[in-house]
Amino acid sequence: MGAKGAKNLGRTITAAEYQLLLEGSQNDHMLHLYVLLGGDCGLRPDSETMTLRWDDIDFVARRFDVVHDPDGERGSTKTGTRSVPMTRSVFSALLAQQARARCHGSPWVFAHPPLTASDRPSKRAGERFVTLRSRFSELCGEVGLQYGSTVRNPDGKLVQGVVPYSLRHYCATRMILAGNALALIAQGLGTSERVLKEHYSHITPDDLDQLVADSWTDATSSEDGVLPFASGA
């Protein structure tokens, strides 16, 4: 299943494939958080996930803001700043990342560490990572998924592959199949009902067989209308 009308943004993934990505990234804490923010919370991979700051996060309320910053480094979220509830897995991963990040005091959640892979002082310590696409591509290869917006299947046919945006597709598809109102999903994902209808109108309840995961909970929506994301924990 791909997102209709979004050919350059890859296909969605199944619950089993999402689990493979989560398990495969366990030893790369930053990449693991990147996968969770896309699959559990539906963040856009570079413009939203990679621009998350520590002052956007409220660990007490277990929510974070995706900030609309059209004139700044973070850019536009298309629909304005929105508040997103954390799943248990995202909450735990952010806490762990915060503990690791204290040593360089960067405001960015995804920041270069003080030491390089060879244990030398990093000239980019504390600077924001722009993307983790290369690491995500390697992860896909390690877990047996074809990376790329367009790939060839075993029969030689061109089909949509897996890219970071596939995580957002997964989150959106899972929420649609769970029966949430499109208006609520659109608000939670920072998009419009029109876009959801355009990209996901082909999805049917039969697709549940591929997407259902026992670990997702029935979190109820809050009174301010934020999407009741299910838990990946």
Side-chain angles (χ1 to χ4, degrees):
M1 289 175 294
K4 185 177 178 182
K7 294 181 180 179
N8 63 328
L9 298 178
R11 65 171 177 85
T12 191
I13 52 177
T14 67
E17 290 172 331
Y18 184 46
Q19 192 60 36
L20 285 174
L21 292 169
L22 289 175
E23 292 174 355
S25 60
Q26 286 286 354
N27 293 327
D28 185 337
H29 57 87
M30 195 175 294
L31 183 60
H32 188 68
L33 177 58
Y34 179 84
V35 172
L36 280 169
L37 288 170
D40 271 26
C41 299
L43 269 61
R44 295 176 176 91
D46 289 340
S47 61
E48 295 180 351
T49 295
M50 301 308 297
T51 60
L52 196 62
R53 295 170 57 106
W54 291 115
D55 56 10
D56 300 330
I57 299 169
D58 186 339
F59 284 105
V60 176
R62 298 186 179 183
R63 308 179 74 86
F64 59 84
D65 289 336
V66 178
V67 176
H68 180 62
D69 183 28
D71 299 320
E73 183 172 359
R74 299 203 267 186
S76 171
T77 63
K78 298 185 178 181
T79 59
T81 297
R82 68 185 189 275
S83 176
V84 178
M86 301 182 209
T87 63
R88 291 194 303 270
S89 294
V90 168
F91 179 81
S92 298
L94 280 170
L95 275 180
Q97 176 69 356
Q98 184 187 51
R100 296 184 184 96
R102 284 174 183 158
C103 56
H104 53 60
S106 173
W108 304 106
V109 172
F110 291 90
H112 286 270
L115 298 178
T116 65
S118 57
D119 289 331
R120 295 181 178 179
S122 173
K123 294 180 180 179
R124 303 191 64 186
E127 293 181 16
R128 179 175 71 86
F129 271 101
V130 176
T131 184
L132 292 182
R133 286 177 180 267
S134 294
R135 282 155 75 169
F136 185 80
S137 172
E138 293 174 1
L139 172 62
C140 286
E142 291 168 1
V143 301
L145 299 179
Q146 286 186 287
Y147 179 87
S149 56
T150 304
V151 298
R152 291 192 182 275
N153 67 10
D155 297 327
K157 182 180 177 181
L158 285 174
V159 296
Q160 290 177 313
V162 176
V163 295
Y165 216 92
S166 296
L167 299 165
R168 179 172 163 87
H169 291 327
Y170 172 72
C171 185
T173 302
R174 183 64 184 84
M175 292 298 98
I176 291 170
L177 292 175
N180 292 283
L182 286 185
L184 195 61
I185 298 171
Q187 182 177 345
L189 294 180
T191 188
S192 67
E193 291 183 62
R194 179 190 61 78
V195 169
L196 289 175
K197 290 176 181 177
E198 178 184 347
H199 290 179
Y200 302 99
S201 61
H202 63 297
I203 296 170
T204 70
D206 291 339
D207 294 325
L208 273 173
D209 289 340
Q210 288 186 307
L211 287 167
V212 166
D214 293 337
S215 59
W216 293 76
T217 67
D218 270 342
T220 56
S221 60
S222 61
E223 59 186 8
D224 61 0
V226 174
L227 180 67
F229 289 103
S231 173

